[in-house]
């Protein structure tokens, strides 16, 4: 079963160079992969097409084998709930506790408070943050804040987690710790797509790597090839 498929996707912005050119790839359920490339290569555009904040000029993006072209209007919000997002700058609400931040996606989708609280506690435990539920984000270290961001992104069990330079602000040890948490998600039913230009980290993780260059997908490296 495929979670995500790009079929010959081209994206032109008005007046600019093409941001993506004829890009095709598929992400299987339970797969983790990286997308890398220089600044301007098209990485953010690729995320925006998944998130439906942009639409392809040509070609199709399929999510869970459904053409996103057909997802319009009120259905866009429903689609976004199936995609968890982690950012470089965690984007937590600073006036809400850790627990309230993580509960947000569940409250938005209409879970009962008691059910939400149970899930929040369980996911915070998994992230090693069980004791931080009542804290405010500003009272946490950078690594802890990023783990709260991940907890919030996965609490509703999305099919896909996308992360945009999630370790950009962390030192190498914390970055590796965050990556280890990501690597555990596929076994729990969430595929993971990480945009990163941290080559050392990519080598260390030994996952599939897509390389974008000026909007073209120039390489799709399997973990086996990376090991050589
Ligand atoms: P990356 O995330 O790899 O840095 P982007 O997807 O942001 O790459 O950008 C790819 C190309 O598209 C760049 O040439 C960039 O200038 C251009 N681009 C991105 N967003 C816009 C936009 N909203 N309007 C015009 N050009 C854009
Ligand atoms: P924008 O305001 O253009 O959406 P942001 O800076 O908010 O950009 O987000 C960073 C990148 O992550 C953007 O490319 C954005 O489209 C993407 N993104 C945000 N949320 C999601 C999501 N749930 N799924 C996929 N991509 C996302």
């Amino acid at each position: 079963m495929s979670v995500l498929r790009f079929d010959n996707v081209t994206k032109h912005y008005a007046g600019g160079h093409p941001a993506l050119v004829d890009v095709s790839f598929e992400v299987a359920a339970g797969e983790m992969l990286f997308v890398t490339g220089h600044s301007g290569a098209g990485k953010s555009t690729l995320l925006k097409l998944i998130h439906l904040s942009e639409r392809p000029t040509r070609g199709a993006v399929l999510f869970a084998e459904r053409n996103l072209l057909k997802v319009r209007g009120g259905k866009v919000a429903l689609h976004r709930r199936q995609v968890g997002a982690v950012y470089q700058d965690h984007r937590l609400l600073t006036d809400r506790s850790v627990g309230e931040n993580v509960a947000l996606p569940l409250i938005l989708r209409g879970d009962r408070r008691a059910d939400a609280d149970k899930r929040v506690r369980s996911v915070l435990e998994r992230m090693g943050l069980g004791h931080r539920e009542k804290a405010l984000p500003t009272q946490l270290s950078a690594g802890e804040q990023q783990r709260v961001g991940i907890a919030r992104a996965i609490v509703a069990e999305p099919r896909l987690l996308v992360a945009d330079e999630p370790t950009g602000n962390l030192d190498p040890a914390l970055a590796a710790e965050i990556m280890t948490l990501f690597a555990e998600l596929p076994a729990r039913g969430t595929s993971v797509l990480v945009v990163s230009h941290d080559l050392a980290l990519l080598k260390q993780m030994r996952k599939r790597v897509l390389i974008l260059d000026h909007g073209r997908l120039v390489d799709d490296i399997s973990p086996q090839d990376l090991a050589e």
Side-chain angles (χ1 to χ4, degrees):
M1 159 85 169
S2 133
V3 166
L4 179 68
R5 202 166 99 207
F6 273 54
D7 269 350
N8 303 101
V9 171
T10 293
K11 173 67 183 177
H12 291 224
Y13 292 103
H17 297 286
L20 290 177
V21 183
D22 209 19
V23 169
S24 297
F25 65 94
E26 186 166 356
V27 179
E31 189 174 21
M32 173 165 173
L33 77 166
F34 289 92
V35 176
T36 193
H38 293 296
S39 172
K43 304 180 299 294
S44 303
T45 300
L46 187 139
L47 291 181
K48 286 177 182 168
L49 294 172
I50 298 170
H51 182 54
L52 292 183
S53 49
E54 293 289 349
R55 300 280 181 172
T57 308
R58 281 193 298 278
V61 179
L62 288 88
F63 185 78
E65 293 172 12
R66 177 163 196 229
N67 191 336
L68 290 183
L69 197 63
K70 296 181 186 146
V71 178
R72 302 210 160 253
K75 289 183 188 155
V76 169
L78 291 176
H79 163 71
R80 286 180 183 161
R81 280 189 214 156
Q82 296 181 60
V83 182
V86 173
Y87 310 93
Q88 179 165 354
D89 55 341
H90 64 73
R91 299 192 192 182
L92 301 171
L93 302 176
T94 51
D95 58 344
R96 306 279 183 93
S97 71
V98 164
E100 284 168 338
N101 268 280
V102 176
L104 216 55
L106 301 176
I107 300 302
L108 285 176
R109 76 172 185 191
D111 280 20
R112 291 195 339 226
R113 189 80 228 188
D115 296 336
D117 285 347
K118 220 154 126 196
R119 270 179 185 269
V120 167
R121 239 165 261 137
S122 137
V123 78
L124 284 177
E125 283 307 327
R126 257 168 68 205
M127 295 293 126
L129 291 167
H131 57 302
R132 298 305 241 159
E133 189 178 345
K134 300 272 185 276
L136 288 173
T138 48
Q139 297 170 318
L140 307 184
S141 68
E144 285 176 326
Q145 289 176 350
Q146 194 54 304
R147 272 158 34 214
V148 178
I150 297 171
R152 183 184 55 186
I154 63 171
V155 72
E157 299 181 331
R159 282 173 192 266
L160 178 67
L161 181 82
V162 298
D164 196 358
E165 299 287 356
T167 59
N169 290 332
L170 303 177
D171 67 44
L174 283 177
E177 189 185 291
I178 295 295
M179 284 299 149
T180 305
L181 291 173
F182 283 148
E184 289 168 3
L185 298 177
R188 311 181 71 104
T190 297
S191 301
V192 181
L193 186 156
V194 182
V195 168
S196 173
H197 51 235
D198 184 341
L199 287 181
L201 196 64
L202 299 195
K203 282 190 185 139
Q204 186 186 333
M205 291 304 292
R206 305 215 165 169
K207 304 285 180 192
R208 180 181 175 195
V209 181
L210 305 185
I211 302 180
L212 288 173
D213 185 7
H214 294 91
R216 293 177 191 275
L217 181 57
V218 294
D219 217 339
D220 183 344
I221 308 170
S222 71
Q224 292 86 323
D225 292 343
L226 273 178
E228 282 164 11

